[in-house]
Amino acid sequence: MSDAAMPDFTRRPGPAERGDDEDGEAGAQSVLVGFWLFLMSDAIIFGMVFATYVTSTAATAGGPGPHALYDIPSVALQTVLLLASSFTVGMASLALKYRHGAPRLIGWLLATLALGVAFLGLEIHDFQAMAAKGGSPSRSGFLSAFFDLVPLHGLHVAGGSIWLACLIGQMAMYGVDAPVKLGILRLVLFWHFLDIVWIAIFSVVYLAGMT
Amino acid sequence: MMAPAGDGASGASRGLEERAELRSYGWGLGLALVLTVTPFALVHWAAMPGLPLRGLIGVFALAQVIVHLRFFLQLGFGKKREITLLLLFSALLLLIMLAGTIWIMASLATRMALPVQP
């Protein structure tokens, strides 16, 4: 690991610091279980925001409703982009686990980042189109609930993308060391989780809104 | 998720394990695509009344969530049992809170003669 003679403040302490991934496996597993706990609490937050949205769908206050505002072809494209990014982040986790080397790992992570950014670009474009049609968050309770739920997921994707870029930077600085590996494993869980939340969004918000 | 603590002798079995995981992701991607495209197609083309269509969308969504958990996150009752139980417990909490909220608010809307859910 790092040079023992020199205090290295650039490294984060953590269970994985006890050794490389063979010795620190128990510590790494407990970090991953902790991350699962965080994901489940985040799922509860999303669930309650979903409940707010579902109970507000009738509160359009005479403003535009789902049929006037939602752009289903764009949502379908966003869904495919996010599903593809879930696949590429999975390939990154396999490249890490089976030691295919840093270039392939970084390639899959960059592909994931590109798909995530493309998703966000389409989503922001849709929000602007909605606002142009009079669907701004302050128009009605329905639209407030919509802009509470869908951009919350978008913020998670933006946060995940920044995290992903940071991990690629870390890899460039320190190589694929134990903290980076643990970071990638958590990011993979986070990214898969975000895709699962998106399944609920396109089903409950967009598709059910068009029925 | 971390590399198993085996030594060099397990190279061939690691190769097999890797192919199995790759296949799992392939199956996951294929099934997820089918389960995504079908509800979009139903909403676009099928002339169905609202309530059954929404139920069908819900069934496809639930199936796709299970596909993601099984094939992408590799959860199951064999390996990663604790995580699966954690997830099921969280799902139970979510179900109670979601169903409770929607029930109470729908009941309130009916009693107060507010606009009902479409």
Side-chain angles (χ1 to χ4, degrees), chain A residues 14-32:
Chain A
E17 287 289 296
R18 280 188 234 129
D20 52 31
D21 58 275
E22 315 291 352
D23 299 329
E25 179 143 354
Q29 282 306 329
S30 86
V31 167
L32 290 179

Side-chain angles (χ1 to χ4, degrees), chain B residues 22-34:
Chain B
L22 199 62
R23 241 195 332 267
S24 167
Y25 270 98
W27 269 106
L29 185 67
L31 285 172
L33 268 176
V34 170

Side-chain angles (χ1 to χ4, degrees), chain A residues 21-22 25 28-29 32-33 36-37 40 43-44 47-48 50-51 54-55 57-58 72 75-76 79 83 86-87 90-91 93-94 97-100 182 185 188-189 192 195-196 199 202-203 207-208 210-211, chain B residues 1-6 14 17-18 21-22 25-26 29 32-33 35-36 39-40 43 50 53-54 57 61 64-65 68-69 72-73 75 80 83 86-87 90 93-94 97-98 101-102 105 115-118:
Chain A
D21 58 275
E22 315 291 352
E25 179 143 354
Q29 282 306 329
L32 290 179
V33 170
W36 269 104
L37 283 170
M40 291 303 103
I44 301 277
M48 295 331 290
F50 265 105
V54 170
T55 54
T57 45
I72 296 299
V75 172
T79 305
L83 182 60
S86 224
F87 183 76
M91 290 301 104
S93 82
L94 291 190
K97 185 172 174 181
Y98 297 103
R99 309 207 168 113
H100 291 312
L182 207 48
L185 290 178
V188 170
L189 295 182
H192 283 319
D195 200 17
I196 290 175
I199 296 171
F202 83 68
S203 300
L207 291 183
M210 299 311 283
T211 59
Chain B
M1 294 292 282
M2 302 296 281
R14 269 179 81 79
E17 196 188 324
E18 182 180 358
E21 276 201 60
L22 199 62
Y25 270 98
L29 185 67
L33 268 176
L35 290 169
T36 298
F40 273 95
V43 167
L53 185 51
R54 261 179 267 175
I57 291 169
Q64 200 185 342
V65 168
H68 279 231
L69 292 174
F72 288 169
L73 288 160
L75 294 183
K80 296 213 234 167
I83 301 290
L86 167 69
L87 200 115
S90 309
L93 288 182
L94 262 176
M97 291 198 287
L98 274 169
T101 305
I102 292 168
M105 295 308 283
V116 286
Q117 307 297 318

